[in-house]
Amino acid sequence: MKRGIVRLIAVGAAAGALLLGAAGTAQAQPQPTPNQTNQPPPGTTEIPINQENVPTTADEFTQNCDPNLGGGPYPDQDVWVFNLPDITRDFVSVTATFAIPGNGTTTVTIPEAEDSAIVRIGTSKAWVILPEGWTLLDATAVVTGEPEPGLQFVLTHTCAASPSPTTSPTTSPTTSPTVSPTVSPTKSNLPITGPSGGVRSLVPVIALGAGSVALGLAFLALPRRRDAEG
């Protein structure tokens, strides 16, 4: 009798251990959450981008640098702006695939990405700022509301990176030539003497001397005439 009880107790303990182990294993496995599935949250639907908008680079698309939608232009950065035409719905997220020149592809999700946002300006819009030169290959969006056949969103415009600033050559200010004042020679009031006076300066002196000689001869001749007449 005692042996039977002991055996029953041992079997019960083993069964209990197995049950506890199974329960612990079940608790250790994470349970899937709605965010870990590929299905959009309840009350939303996933829609594609208009395939006529892709593939494209920012500088190949319609340009509009709106300060309310990412702004720009920026050196070495492109701004991408998506629009949901259905005014009754809003973007929940936009997931876009880009090709990076010489470095494969990458996926960017708005609004989780840095320098991105979802806003409503008339309609729901999503924008993101990315390095210059990426190519948009495809995109999908999660939007509010129930599925609707043919519903899609668009790449409405971009703001391509501005050209790298160039340094203009430094231009020295034009220096006006210094004009030396014209100095007029000072006229001397002294009489011109010596050879520099020239022949003209001797004419008055010669005339005066000749007149004096003539006058002296006249006085000398006057007594002789008187003697001759007497």
Side-chain angles (χ1 to χ4, degrees), residues 48-50 53-54 56 61 69 79-85 91 93-98 108-110 116-121 123-130 136-141 153-158:
I49 192 172
N50 186 333
N53 297 160
V54 293
T56 185
F61 210 74
L69 296 170
V79 182
W80 301 82
V81 183
F82 302 95
N83 179 52
L84 181 59
F91 281 126
S93 65
V94 175
T95 301
T97 301
F98 291 88
V108 176
T109 300
I110 306 169
S116 71
I118 293 175
V119 296
R120 174 175 275 273
I121 303 176
T123 57
S124 185
K125 294 178 175 63
W127 58 264
V128 63
I129 303 174
L130 297 172
L136 177 63
L137 301 177
D138 201 3
T140 58
F153 68 103
V154 298
L155 174 66
T156 180
H157 62 262
T158 62

Side-chain angles (χ1 to χ4, degrees), residues 180-218:
S180 300
T182 303
V183 179
S184 300
T186 304
K187 293 184 180 181
S188 176
N189 294 323
L190 297 175
I192 299 174
T193 60
S196 62
V199 177
R200 292 182 179 179
S201 62
L202 296 177
V203 170
V205 177
I206 294 171
L208 181 60
S212 299
V213 172
L215 183 60
L217 291 175

Side-chain angles (χ1 to χ4, degrees), residues 1-12:
M1 183 68 178
K2 291 181 179 180
R3 290 180 179 178
I5 294 173
V6 171
R7 186 175 296 175
L8 289 174
I9 292 173
V11 171

Side-chain angles (χ1 to χ4, degrees), residues 10-49:
V11 171
L18 290 173
L19 291 174
L20 288 173
T25 302
Q27 290 179 357
Q29 294 178 351
Q31 297 298 315
T33 62
N35 293 334
Q36 292 176 324
T37 66
N38 293 327
Q39 298 298 320
T44 64
T45 186
E46 185 176 275
I47 62 174
I49 192 172

Side-chain angles (χ1 to χ4, degrees), residues 13 52 211 230:
E52 294 182 359

Side-chain angles (χ1 to χ4, degrees), residues 76-177:
D76 305 322
Q77 289 184 308
D78 296 327
V79 182
W80 301 82
V81 183
F82 302 95
N83 179 52
L84 181 59
D86 189 341
I87 197 170
T88 65
R89 299 173 184 261
D90 287 289
F91 281 126
V92 176
S93 65
V94 175
T95 301
T97 301
F98 291 88
I100 304 174
N103 197 25
T105 61
T106 188
T107 299
V108 176
T109 300
I110 306 169
E112 284 78 11
E114 185 178 3
D115 294 328
S116 71
I118 293 175
V119 296
R120 174 175 275 273
I121 303 176
T123 57
S124 185
K125 294 178 175 63
W127 58 264
V128 63
I129 303 174
L130 297 172
E132 177 185 8
W134 288 15
T135 300
L136 177 63
L137 301 177
D138 201 3
T140 58
V142 175
V143 301
T144 57
E146 299 300 322
E148 179 181 331
L151 183 62
Q152 60 185 3
F153 68 103
V154 298
L155 174 66
T156 180
H157 62 262
T158 62
C159 179
S162 60
S164 299
T166 56
T167 304
S168 302
T170 304
T171 304
S172 300
T174 303
T175 303
S176 301

Side-chain angles (χ1 to χ4, degrees), residues 214-227:
L215 183 60
L217 291 175
F219 279 109
L220 289 175
L222 184 59
R224 292 179 182 179
R225 290 182 63 184
R226 291 178 178 175
D227 291 340

